[in-house]
RNA sequence: UCCUCAGUAGCUCAAUGGCAGAGCAUCCGGCUGUUAACCGGAGGGUUGUAGGUUCGAAUCCUACCUGAGGAGCCA
């Protein structure tokens, strides 16, 4: 048997006899010639099998190969201007590993619900593979960004004893006999403790929100990366956030051009994602929205339409800082210059993809934090450990969280975040 | 939770009160350069469920089920 090669390496084997191990993606046929599109997880390539090369018996057998049959194929690699990847293979033989009958995802169109019910098969498609490879690169770039800047990965728990922020709806789970635990909605509070120990930290893991949101921007289970830095202020965290996003986008452009092309993603907008990003205050944002004729009032949070209108005024992500403290979480530090504002920041992605980052400077004063916990009717005993961080050497600190799926959806130019994760969890979707 | 829309062949859809159809998929036949290949033929239906109006309902009405988009909330 000729040496086994991967399709992604095929250019290095021009003119050689090789073996591919993969699956039949699609087949077209003429009377005396078959065109098999074979995929092996690293790429797709066309294998041409003619009656003259294979002989009548083998050729007839190839006529009945069906979609997604696993097989090994031998043949000679040949550069061909007609081929999509520049190369194709003149087939000399094949062996079926395991047949596939009535594969449900045909080359024609299907509805979202149908495809989502078969998500475990849908991910075999070229488009879904492209999205998942971009996701991989985004995550890889995020880790590389923090690791190369002296951050320590310190993961935070997924089971938590109570509502961290007191705002979002949490998923309760029974924790042994008579205790209720909740799936984390953010690692942030633990991250603050980790930053007091390790200086610059990040956590990266799944996050859960039980809100019954039905929009293209929401999953009930999503992945979030959260850095936290001791001795950092709001400006430091805005710097860090824009550098992270610039770095991630640059890495995808550099290494995933083929995937973006396959997704028909225009890259002009992504090429423009260079620091510094525009920074506007909440006050200015309100002014801009009123100027655009939207019915906004000072004091409220922004809705999806507001975010889209704001972000469309810039050619790169925009940082909106200093929201009214009343609409933000209890742990946000007030602006000393205007205590009704919180030292917080949201980053809005272009093209209506919404908020991809939320963060800010944390409340580091013991008395004020205790006051906020009381004001929000939170149980003080559950936050004693968190108050300890202000009892024993409190320092200014700041951080943020970035939602991976929204970033991937934006970079890929997708309609919905549900395609950015292998098995999305949605309000009405828990299978497969 | 609320608003809007949708549910017809395995899939994607048409039929707007009067014989339930097409393309793809499957099977059979044809074709040596296809790219969601193409050409010819065949099989394939409790029109989401239950009730109602009507001579007659996929079509109109009511309830329910399932899904999608949006609102609120959030990354």
């Amino acid at each position: 048997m000729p040496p086994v090669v991967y399709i992604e390496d095929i250019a290095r084997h021009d003119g050689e006899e090789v073996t591919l191990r993969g699956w039949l993606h699609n087949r077209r046929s003429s009377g005396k010639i078959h065109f098999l599109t074979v995929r092996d997880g690293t790429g797709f390539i066309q294998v041409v099998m003619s009656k003259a090369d294979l002989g009548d018996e083998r050729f007839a057998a190839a006529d009945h190969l069906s979609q997604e049959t696993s097989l090994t194929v031998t043949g000679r690699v040949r550069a061909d201007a007609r081929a999509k990847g520049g190369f194709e293979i003149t087939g000399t033989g094949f062996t079926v590993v395991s047949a596939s009958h009535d594969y449900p995802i045909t080359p024609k169109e299907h509805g979202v619900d149908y495809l989502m019910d078969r998500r475990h098969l849908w991910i075999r498609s070229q488009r879904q593979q492209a999205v998942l490879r971009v996701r991989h690169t985004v995550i890889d770039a995020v880790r590389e960004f923090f690791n190369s800047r002296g951050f320590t990965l310190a993961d935070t728990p997924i089971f938590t004893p109570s509502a961290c922020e007191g705002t979002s709806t949490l998923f309760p789970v029974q924790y042994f006999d008579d205790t209720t635990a909740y799936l984390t909605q953010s690692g942030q509070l633990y991250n603050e403790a980790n930053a007091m120990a390790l200086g610059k930290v990040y956590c990266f893991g799944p996050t859960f929100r039980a809100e019954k949101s039905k929009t293209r921007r929401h999953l009930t289970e999503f992945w979030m990366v959260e850095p936290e830095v001791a001795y950092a202020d709001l400006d430091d965290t805005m710097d860090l956030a824009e550098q992270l996003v610039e770095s991630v986008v640059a890495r995808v452009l550099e290494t995933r051009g083929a995937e973006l092309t396959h997704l028909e993603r225009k890259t002009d907008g992504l090429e423009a994602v260079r620091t510094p990003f525009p920074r506007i205050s909440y006050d200015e944002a309100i002014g801009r929205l009123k100027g655009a004729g939207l019915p906004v009032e000072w004091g409220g949070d922004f809705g999806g339409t507001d975010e889209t209108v704001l972000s469309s005024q810039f050619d790169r992500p925009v940082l909106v800082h200093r929201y009214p403290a009343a609409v933000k979480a209890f742990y946000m530090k007030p602006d000393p210059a205007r205590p009704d504002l919180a030292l917080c920041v949201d980053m809005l992605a272009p093209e209506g993809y919404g908020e991809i980052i939320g963060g800010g400077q944390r409340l580091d004063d013991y008395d004020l934090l205790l006051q906020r916990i009381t004001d929000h009717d939170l149980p003080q005993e559950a936050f004693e450990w968190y108050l300890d961080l202000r009892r024993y050497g409190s320092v200014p600190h700041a951080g943020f969280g970035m939602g991976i799926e929204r970033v991937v959806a934006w970079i890929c130019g997708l309609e919905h975040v549900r395609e950015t994760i292998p098995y999305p969890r949605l309000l009405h979707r828990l299978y497969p």
Side-chain angles (χ1 to χ4, degrees):
Chain A
M1 190 175 78
V4 173
V5 301
Y6 283 115
I7 293 170
E8 66 181 352
D9 299 326
I10 211 75
R12 297 210 303 265
H13 299 279
D14 190 16
E16 296 172 20
E17 197 83 14
V18 300
T19 301
L20 299 180
R21 298 188 296 197
W23 295 263
L24 181 63
H25 184 66
N26 197 10
R27 178 175 58 82
R28 291 170 294 278
S29 180
S30 225
K32 297 192 177 71
I33 186 166
H34 296 311
F35 300 96
L36 310 182
T37 305
V38 174
R39 62 173 190 87
D40 71 348
T42 74
F44 294 74
I45 196 166
Q46 177 160 278
V47 178
V48 183
M49 292 187 167
S50 72
K51 203 168 194 171
D53 292 340
L54 260 72
D56 289 1
E57 197 177 320
R58 281 185 163 282
F59 186 82
D63 200 23
H64 288 86
L65 291 174
S66 53
Q67 209 186 339
E68 289 303 320
T69 291
S70 51
L71 40 66
T72 62
V73 177
T74 57
R76 186 171 297 280
V77 180
R78 179 169 46 75
D80 192 314
R82 291 170 296 189
K84 274 180 177 167
F87 292 89
E88 55 182 37
I89 289 180
T90 303
T92 53
F94 68 90
T95 306
V96 169
V97 176
S98 183
S100 163
H101 298 295
D102 297 323
Y103 186 69
I105 301 178
T106 67
K108 290 288 177 178
E109 287 177 13
H110 299 282
V112 169
D113 193 43
Y114 182 86
L115 290 168
M116 276 297 171
D117 278 339
R118 294 156 185 81
R119 181 64 177 168
H120 52 295
L121 302 176
W122 190 18
I123 54 176
R124 298 183 184 194
S125 77
Q126 207 162 357
R127 177 184 167 83
Q128 297 306 313
Q129 286 188 33
V131 173
L132 294 179
R133 289 208 166 86
V134 171
R135 177 190 173 93
H136 161 77
T137 297
V138 166
I139 291 170
D140 192 43
V142 163
R143 289 187 177 280
E144 207 273 333
F145 177 88
F146 289 118
N147 294 343
S148 68
R149 282 158 196 256
F151 281 70
T152 298
L153 175 70
D155 284 318
T156 54
I158 289 172
F159 286 137
T160 58
S162 65
C164 280
E165 306 184 14
T167 52
S168 298
T169 316
L170 304 184
F171 285 106
V173 289
Q174 189 174 347
Y175 198 72
F176 298 110
D177 291 341
D178 53 4
T179 304
T180 300
Y182 298 89
L183 300 182
T184 184
Q185 57 164 339
S186 166
Q188 193 222 301
L189 303 192
Y190 295 96
N191 241 1
E192 291 183 45
N194 292 345
M196 297 305 127
L198 295 156
K200 291 186 285 187
V201 300
Y202 70 104
C203 63
F204 182 41
T207 307
F208 307 87
R209 302 278 166 91
E211 262 116 18
K212 294 189 174 178
S213 299
K214 262 176 71 74
T215 83
R216 70 188 66 198
R217 300 184 304 279
H218 289 87
L219 298 170
T220 55
E221 175 183 309
F222 65 97
W223 285 67
M224 186 157 68
V225 60
E226 296 174 272
E228 191 74 29
V229 180
Y231 289 104
D233 62 16
L234 176 64
D235 287 336
D236 294 329
T237 213
M238 287 199 282
D239 290 345
L240 188 68
E242 67 178 13
Q243 286 163 20
L244 170 66
V245 171
E246 176 185 55
S247 168
V248 166
V249 170
R251 173 75 80 82
V252 173
L253 285 171
E254 187 185 318
T255 61
R256 293 296 171 193
E259 281 78 7
L260 294 179
T261 300
H262 186 82
L263 293 166
E264 298 178 316
R265 175 57 156 141
K266 288 201 173 70
T267 54
D268 315 13
L270 298 176
E271 305 276 0
V273 180
R274 300 282 172 78
T275 55
F277 294 176
R279 297 181 184 187
I280 62 174
S281 67
Y282 173 88
D283 287 351
E284 184 184 345
I286 289 288
R288 283 171 173 268
L289 291 172
K290 281 185 172 165
L294 288 166
V296 290
E297 299 258 344
W298 195 97
D301 212 340
F302 298 132
T305 309
D306 303 326
E307 291 181 353
T308 301
V309 169
L310 270 181
S311 65
S312 69
Q313 297 181 354
F314 303 94
D315 69 341
R316 61 196 77 189
V318 56
L319 295 155
V320 184
H321 55 83
R322 292 180 173 80
Y323 285 66
V327 299
K328 289 295 178 181
F330 74 93
Y331 52 71
M332 297 284 190
K333 185 180 176 75
D335 187 347
R338 269 184 66 187
D340 58 328
L341 299 181
L343 290 175
C344 64
V345 60
D346 285 356
M347 186 189 292
L348 307 180
E351 300 164 62
Y353 283 94
E355 185 184 343
I356 53 173
I357 281 177
Q361 193 169 338
R362 321 305 188 185
L363 189 44
D364 49 34
D365 180 77
Y366 177 86
D367 293 325
L368 191 48
L369 180 59
L370 185 57
Q371 182 64 47
R372 287 284 178 79
I373 288 171
T374 309
D375 290 349
H376 283 76
D377 284 330
L378 296 171
Q380 184 184 334
E381 62 278 12
F383 289 92
E384 285 299 340
W385 69 267
Y386 189 62
L387 286 161
D388 271 354
L389 306 178
R390 280 75 181 170
R391 286 187 184 106
Y392 306 114
S394 188
V395 302
H397 59 291
F400 61 85
M402 181 171 84
I404 293 298
E405 287 77 14
R406 286 190 183 174
V407 171
V408 175
W410 162 49
I411 291 176
C412 290
L414 303 180
E415 281 294 303
H416 200 300
V417 292
R418 66 189 159 209
E419 287 181 54
T420 65
I421 185 168
Y423 302 96
R425 293 295 174 244
L426 300 151
L427 180 53
H428 298 296
R429 169 70 54 193
L430 198 55
Y431 177 92

